[in-house]
Amino acid sequence: MTDLSKARILMIATDGFENDELFKPRQALIEAGATVTLASIKTDEIQGEKAGEKADKIKPDMTIDDVDTEDYDALVLPGGVGNPDTMRMQERATDIITEFMDDDKIVAAICHAPWLLAEADVIDGRELTSWPSIRTDLENAGATVVDKQVVVDGNLITSRNPDDIPAFNEAIMKALSEELTAA
């Protein structure tokens, strides 16, 4: 297993996140030794969904307003429909994404989460994948969209859906390992 004990990961999410897309990458990163911080719009518990039904809740560690991107090595964005749709309307959420991209830090987004990347205007000329229903939005934001389990374009990692989580996690771990080794 990869030792990511020096890795500091930020996840941002709110109500309507896809349960497995938050919990499975989070657990894999924690098991690899990473410190994972969850930020949201507020610090009240947020509600996940699975197949359109309410699922697990989790209490965020901080609000997005309290995030200093300098404190983190990577950003992980879980999908779901409601989560990224709400988050993309939060100026601080899109600023966080822009800061990570400007600093060439790892940004990993799955399912509907690339909506946030489009809103932050950071995907023009990039190759990525996503849930099928948002691909036109991504193309309109200048991205080249492909249908693959995982797409790595420099510091940007994207996947399509919960079935892709193993490949998504593997790509995140590999990128973090390479980044920490180079540091």
Side-chain angles (χ1 to χ4, degrees), residues 26-67:
R26 181 177 180 271
Q27 189 60 39
L29 288 161
I30 290 169
E31 287 175 4
T35 301
V36 181
T37 301
L38 176 62
S40 190
I41 298 165
K42 52 190 184 202
T43 56
D44 297 338
E45 282 188 332
I46 56 175
Q47 177 78 58
E49 294 183 359
K50 193 167 189 165
E53 301 294 322
K54 290 191 184 303
D56 298 320
K57 291 182 178 182
I58 187 170
K59 184 168 176 32
D61 300 298
M62 65 172 49
T63 68
I64 55 176
D65 291 328
D66 293 329
V67 169

Side-chain angles (χ1 to χ4, degrees), residues 18 21 77-81 84 109-115 129-135 138 158-162 164 168:
E18 175 61 41
E21 293 171 2
L77 304 169
V81 179
I110 187 168
C111 197
H112 287 77
W115 252 349
T129 193
S130 71
W131 186 257
S133 68
I134 68 165
R135 291 181 182 163
L138 302 178
T158 52
S159 283
R160 303 171 299 190
N161 59 56
D164 297 339
F168 183 65

